[in-house]
Coordinates of all heavy atoms in Angstrom, one line a residue:
A294 N 137.1 254.8 -137.6 CA 137.3 253.7 -136.7 C 138.8 253.4 -136.5 O 139.6 253.9 -137.3 CB 136.5 252.5 -137.2
A295 N 139.0 252.5 -135.6 CA 140.4 252.1 -135.3 C 140.5 250.6 -135.8 O 139.6 249.8 -135.6 CB 140.7 252.2 -133.8
C296 N 141.6 250.3 -136.4 CA 141.9 248.9 -136.8 C 142.1 248.0 -135.6 O 142.6 248.4 -134.6 CB 143.0 248.9 -137.8 SG 144.6 249.3 -137.0
F297 N 141.7 246.7 -135.8 CA 141.8 245.8 -134.8 C 143.2 245.2 -134.6 O 143.5 244.5 -133.7 CB 140.8 244.6 -135.0 CG 139.4 245.0 -134.7 CD1 138.9 246.3 -134.9 CD2 138.5 244.0 -134.2 CE1 137.6 246.6 -134.6 CE2 137.2 244.3 -134.0 CZ 136.7 245.6 -134.1
C298 N 144.1 245.5 -135.6 CA 145.4 244.9 -135.6 C 146.4 245.8 -134.9 O 147.3 245.3 -134.2 CB 145.8 244.5 -137.0 SG 145.6 245.8 -138.2
H299 N 146.4 247.0 -135.3 CA 147.4 248.0 -134.7 C 146.8 249.1 -133.9 O 147.5 250.0 -133.4 CB 148.2 248.6 -135.9 CG 148.9 247.6 -136.7 ND1 148.4 247.1 -137.9 CD2 150.1 247.0 -136.6 CE1 149.2 246.2 -138.4 NE2 150.3 246.1 -137.7
R300 N 145.4 249.1 -133.8 CA 144.7 250.1 -133.0 C 145.0 251.6 -133.5 O 145.2 252.5 -132.7 CB 145.1 250.0 -131.5 CG 144.8 248.7 -130.9 CD 143.3 248.4 -130.8 NE 142.9 247.3 -130.0 CZ 142.8 246.0 -130.5 NH1 143.0 245.8 -131.8 NH2 142.5 245.0 -129.7
K301 N 145.0 251.7 -134.8 CA 145.3 253.0 -135.4 C 144.0 253.5 -136.1 O 143.2 252.7 -136.6 CB 146.4 252.9 -136.5 CG 147.7 252.6 -135.9 CD 148.8 252.7 -137.0 CE 148.5 251.8 -138.2 NZ 149.6 252.0 -139.2
V302 N 143.7 254.8 -136.0 CA 142.6 255.4 -136.6 C 142.8 255.5 -138.1 O 143.8 256.0 -138.5 CB 142.3 256.8 -136.0 CG1 141.0 257.4 -136.7 CG2 142.1 256.7 -134.5
I303 N 141.9 254.9 -138.9 CA 142.1 254.8 -140.3 C 140.9 255.4 -141.1 O 139.8 255.5 -140.5 CB 142.3 253.3 -140.8 CG1 141.2 252.5 -140.3 CG2 143.6 252.8 -140.2 CD1 141.2 251.0 -140.8
D304 N 141.2 255.8 -142.3 CA 140.1 256.3 -143.2 C 139.5 255.2 -144.0 O 138.2 255.1 -144.1 CB 140.6 257.4 -144.1 CG 141.1 258.6 -143.3 OD1 140.5 258.9 -142.3 OD2 142.1 259.2 -143.7
T305 N 140.3 254.3 -144.6 CA 139.8 253.2 -145.3 C 140.6 251.9 -144.8 O 141.7 252.0 -144.4 CB 140.1 253.4 -146.8 OG1 141.5 253.6 -147.0 CG2 139.3 254.5 -147.4
G306 N 139.9 250.8 -144.9 CA 140.5 249.6 -144.5 C 139.7 248.3 -145.0 O 138.9 248.4 -145.9
Y307 N 140.0 247.2 -144.4 CA 139.4 245.9 -144.8 C 138.5 245.5 -143.6 O 138.9 245.5 -142.5 CB 140.5 244.9 -145.0 CG 141.5 245.2 -146.1 CD1 142.6 246.0 -145.9 CD2 141.3 244.7 -147.4 CE1 143.5 246.4 -146.9 CE2 142.2 245.1 -148.4 CZ 143.3 245.9 -148.2 OH 144.2 246.2 -149.2
V308 N 137.3 245.0 -144.0 CA 136.3 244.6 -143.0 C 136.0 243.2 -143.2 O 135.7 242.7 -144.4 CB 135.0 245.5 -143.2 CG1 134.0 245.1 -142.1 CG2 135.4 247.0 -143.0
C309 N 136.0 242.4 -142.2 CA 135.6 241.0 -142.2 C 134.1 240.9 -142.4 O 133.3 241.6 -141.7 CB 136.1 240.3 -140.9 SG 135.5 238.5 -140.8
S310 N 133.7 240.1 -143.3 CA 132.2 240.0 -143.6 C 131.5 239.2 -142.6 O 130.3 239.2 -142.6 CB 132.0 239.4 -145.0 OG 132.6 238.1 -145.0
I311 N 132.2 238.5 -141.7 CA 131.6 237.7 -140.7 C 131.4 238.4 -139.3 O 130.3 238.5 -138.8 CB 132.3 236.4 -140.4 CG1 132.5 235.6 -141.8 CG2 131.7 235.5 -139.4 CD1 131.2 235.2 -142.4
C312 N 132.5 238.9 -138.8 CA 132.5 239.6 -137.5 C 132.6 241.1 -137.5 O 132.6 241.7 -136.5 CB 133.6 239.0 -136.6 SG 135.2 239.3 -137.2
L313 N 132.8 241.6 -138.8 CA 132.9 243.1 -139.0 C 134.1 243.7 -138.3 O 134.1 244.8 -137.9 CB 131.6 243.8 -138.5 CG 130.3 243.4 -139.1 CD1 129.2 244.2 -138.6 CD2 130.4 243.5 -140.6
S314 N 135.2 242.9 -138.2 CA 136.4 243.4 -137.7 C 137.1 244.3 -138.8 O 137.0 244.0 -139.9 CB 137.4 242.3 -137.2 OG 136.8 241.5 -136.2
I315 N 137.8 245.3 -138.3 CA 138.4 246.3 -139.3 C 139.9 246.1 -139.2 O 140.5 246.0 -138.1 CB 138.0 247.7 -138.9 CG1 136.5 247.8 -138.9 CG2 138.6 248.7 -139.9 CD1 136.0 249.1 -138.3
F316 N 140.6 246.1 -140.4 CA 142.0 245.9 -140.5 C 142.6 247.0 -141.4 O 141.9 247.3 -142.4 CB 142.4 244.6 -141.0 CG 141.9 243.4 -140.1 CD1 140.7 242.7 -140.5 CD2 142.4 243.1 -138.9 CE1 140.2 241.7 -139.8 CE2 141.9 242.0 -138.2 CZ 140.8 241.4 -138.6
C317 N 143.7 247.5 -141.1 CA 144.3 248.6 -141.9 C 145.0 248.0 -143.1 O 145.2 248.7 -144.1 CB 145.3 249.4 -141.1 SG 146.7 248.4 -140.3
S318 N 145.4 246.7 -143.1 CA 146.0 246.0 -144.2 C 145.5 244.5 -144.1 O 145.1 244.1 -143.1 CB 147.5 246.1 -144.1 OG 148.0 245.5 -142.9
P319 N 145.6 243.8 -145.2 CA 145.2 242.4 -145.2 C 146.0 241.6 -144.2 O 147.2 241.7 -144.1 CB 145.5 241.9 -146.6 CG 145.4 243.1 -147.5 CD 146.0 244.2 -146.6
P320 N 145.3 240.9 -143.3 CA 146.1 240.1 -142.3 C 147.0 239.0 -142.9 O 146.8 238.6 -144.0 CB 145.0 239.5 -141.4 CG 143.7 240.3 -141.7 CD 143.9 240.7 -143.1
Q321 N 147.9 238.6 -142.1 CA 148.8 237.6 -142.6 C 148.1 236.3 -142.9 O 147.4 235.8 -142.0 CB 150.0 237.3 -141.6 CG 151.1 236.4 -142.1 CD 152.2 236.2 -141.1 OE1 152.1 236.8 -140.0 NE2 153.2 235.5 -141.5
G322 N 148.2 235.8 -144.1 CA 147.5 234.5 -144.5 C 146.1 234.8 -144.8 O 145.4 233.8 -145.0
S323 N 145.6 236.0 -144.9 CA 144.2 236.4 -145.2 C 143.3 235.7 -144.2 O 142.2 235.2 -144.6 CB 143.9 236.0 -146.6 OG 144.7 236.7 -147.5
I324 N 143.7 235.6 -142.9 CA 142.9 235.0 -141.9 C 142.5 236.1 -140.9 O 143.4 236.9 -140.4 CB 143.6 233.9 -141.1 CG1 144.1 232.8 -142.1 CG2 142.8 233.3 -140.0 CD1 142.9 232.1 -142.8

Side-chain angles (χ1 to χ4, degrees):
C296 64
F297 285 31
C298 48
H299 302 94
R300 301 295 190 269
K301 297 188 302 182
V302 180
I303 58 176
D304 296 325
T305 58
Y307 299 84
V308 180
C309 176
S310 59
I311 304 300
C312 63
L313 301 181
S314 299
I315 305 172
F316 305 99
C317 58
S318 59
Q321 186 177 5
S323 298
I324 302 298

